[in-house]
Amino acid sequence: MPLDLEIVIVSWNVADLLKNCLDSIYGAPGARLDAGGVLHLGAYTAKVHVVDNASSDGSPQMVRKRFPAANLIISSTNLGFTRGNNLALRRCQARYVLLLNPDTRVVDDALVKMLDYMERHPQAGILGPQLRYGDGNLQSSRRRFPTFMTALMESTLLQQWFPKNRWAQRYYVQDVSADHVQDVDWVTGACMLVRRDVLRTVGLLDEAFFMYSEELDWCRRTIDAGWRVVYFPDAVVVHYGGRSSDQVVAERHIHFQRSKVLYFYKHHGWMMAEVLRLFILGTYLFQMVEEGLKCMVGHKRSLRRSRLRAYARVLRSGLRRRGPKGEAA
């Protein structure tokens, strides 16, 4: 009999966080493992897949020792978020799949609540819970599709100068309460429950995205295919956020901004994407000049030099599109 749920966790050098995440799944209220290693969550059956992206911190050993029921998939290289998830998704046969970051903690019976909602609403293709930071504060996790002005303002130098600009506020859905269930354009990928029929309809994550914006693209394709994307605050997941990407600051900038450009290339055409790419590179050049001047006058030189190295790497990358294996596209 097929499983109801398969949970996919892609991890890189966050063994302690991964342990806490898995503890929250296997230790959920009423959860139990049967003799065959199947996890029972209320009326649902589940299996966990952990994809290890060439960690060097003992993550695979920890999973083998503490969570033998989990299916451990070890990659010899860092595949990134998208390819790592797809590696496991190709093996999944359950009626639902859950993409879950390793730096999360599932609160109480959140998974059961999410599955119950999907069972009652067959047109819901993707569902995201309410995310909260480790201190309990609400974390923004629902979005509208970005416009070109959103792309210019959001997570760029302009947002630093104008943090409360109306384009970013609309993008973050700040005009609608986060306390009730609602249809949205997309939900962030830290925790996404996806109906298997969606996978059959729209396919896997686009591996041209190494990380960032892949869930935006996936949700857009899902809505274009006639499914609903739902924000579901009745279920809560704690998301500590950014622990893997914090280990590689320059790469985080490159992947984030390159993915933004790629999304616009896919959905708005090459001209808009090229204007956006050149604009973003211009903001990093401006910041390099600014950091260089501060370094020259002796203000926090270690910090300034670190930022200069990171910004220089962004500029050298050109934020050009890459193929799924990193080759120029």
Side-chain angles (χ1 to χ4, degrees):
M1 186 172 180
L3 295 167
D4 296 307
L5 173 67
E6 289 180 84
I7 302 169
V8 177
I9 304 172
V10 176
S11 181
W12 182 61
N13 287 333
V14 286
D16 290 342
L17 288 167
L18 175 61
K19 173 187 171 298
N20 292 336
C21 176
L22 292 169
D23 277 336
S24 73
I25 296 170
Y26 287 105
R32 64 177 180 86
L33 280 168
D34 65 23
V38 173
L39 177 65
H40 293 258
L41 299 168
Y44 303 105
T45 55
K47 185 79 175 178
V48 178
H49 303 276
V50 176
V51 180
D52 184 82
N53 263 338
S55 294
S56 57
D57 67 344
S59 292
Q61 294 84 351
M62 181 276 295
V63 173
R64 285 196 188 101
K65 179 179 179 180
R66 300 186 64 96
F67 305 98
N71 178 36
L72 178 63
I73 305 169
I74 299 177
S75 172
S76 59
T77 59
N78 187 348
L79 299 174
F81 181 83
T82 306
R83 291 177 65 201
N85 273 294
N86 281 351
L87 184 64
L89 287 173
R90 290 186 179 97
R91 308 182 185 195
C92 292
Q93 299 295 322
R95 297 189 300 119
Y96 298 97
V97 294
L98 181 79
L99 271 55
L100 187 66
N101 278 15
D103 56 351
T104 58
R105 176 172 57 83
V106 179
V107 177
D108 298 331
D109 58 348
L111 297 182
V112 171
K113 290 179 179 178
M114 293 166 69
L115 289 165
D116 283 345
Y117 182 89
M118 295 290 268
E119 291 285 89
R120 296 193 306 267
H121 299 85
Q123 284 304 308
I126 293 178
L127 181 142
Q130 184 176 94
L131 298 183
R132 292 191 172 272
Y133 292 105
D135 61 6
N137 286 325
L138 181 68
Q139 184 175 139
S140 174
S141 62
R142 60 204 168 111
R143 302 281 191 274
R144 291 188 174 100
F145 291 135
T147 64
F148 185 64
M149 280 303 300
T150 304
L152 296 179
M153 299 295 294
E154 191 265 334
S155 296
T156 68
L157 188 62
L158 291 183
Q159 189 171 28
Q160 296 178 33
W161 292 344
F162 309 104
K164 296 184 178 180
N165 69 84
R166 62 188 177 93
W167 295 281
Q169 289 181 329
R170 184 181 183 281
Y171 178 63
Y172 296 132
V173 200
Q174 293 181 350
D175 56 327
V176 180
S177 170
D179 294 332
H180 63 269
V181 179
Q182 58 202 261
D183 283 23
V184 295
D185 287 343
W186 65 286
V187 291
T188 57
C191 181
M192 296 175 66
L193 182 62
V194 184
R195 193 180 298 274
R196 180 161 183 78
D197 287 343
V198 169
L199 291 176
R200 295 192 184 100
T201 303
V202 307
L204 300 175
L205 294 163
D206 184 343
E207 294 185 1
F209 298 92
F210 183 83
M211 61 187 298
Y212 301 118
S213 294
E214 69 288 318
E215 75 270 55
L216 161 59
D217 172 70
W218 214 20
C219 286
R220 178 151 192 161
R221 287 188 280 140
T222 297
I223 287 179
D224 287 347
W227 296 94
R228 295 168 54 211
V229 173
V230 178
Y231 166 74
F232 184 67
D234 295 357
V236 176
V237 170
V238 175
H239 180 216
Y240 298 98
R243 301 302 175 90
S244 292
S245 59
D246 283 349
Q247 302 172 63
V248 281
V249 175
E251 285 81 0
R252 182 183 64 199
H253 282 275
I254 292 168
H255 292 313
F256 182 85
Q257 302 295 2
R258 179 182 281 156
S259 292
K260 181 192 290 189
V261 172
L262 173 59
Y263 171 81
F264 271 81
Y265 177 85
K266 280 192 67 174
H267 297 285
H268 297 280
W270 70 268
M271 183 177 294
M272 191 174 290
E274 187 65 11
V275 172
L276 176 61
R277 183 181 72 85
L278 294 174
F279 169 80
I280 294 172
L281 289 173
T283 67
Y284 278 95
L285 180 60
F286 179 91
Q287 290 177 94
M288 276 198 73
V289 172
E290 185 180 42
E291 294 296 329
L293 292 173
K294 291 178 179 178
C295 186
M296 287 175 60
V297 299
H299 184 264
K300 299 181 179 178
R301 279 184 171 166
S302 177
L303 172 65
R304 305 306 170 193
R305 287 168 179 160
S306 175
R307 289 180 177 175
L308 282 168
R309 288 192 294 270
Y311 297 161
R313 290 188 64 179
V314 175
L315 289 170
R316 284 197 300 270
S317 78
L319 301 180
R320 292 180 179 86
R321 293 183 295 114
R322 298 289 176 178
K325 297 183 180 180
E327 69 275 9

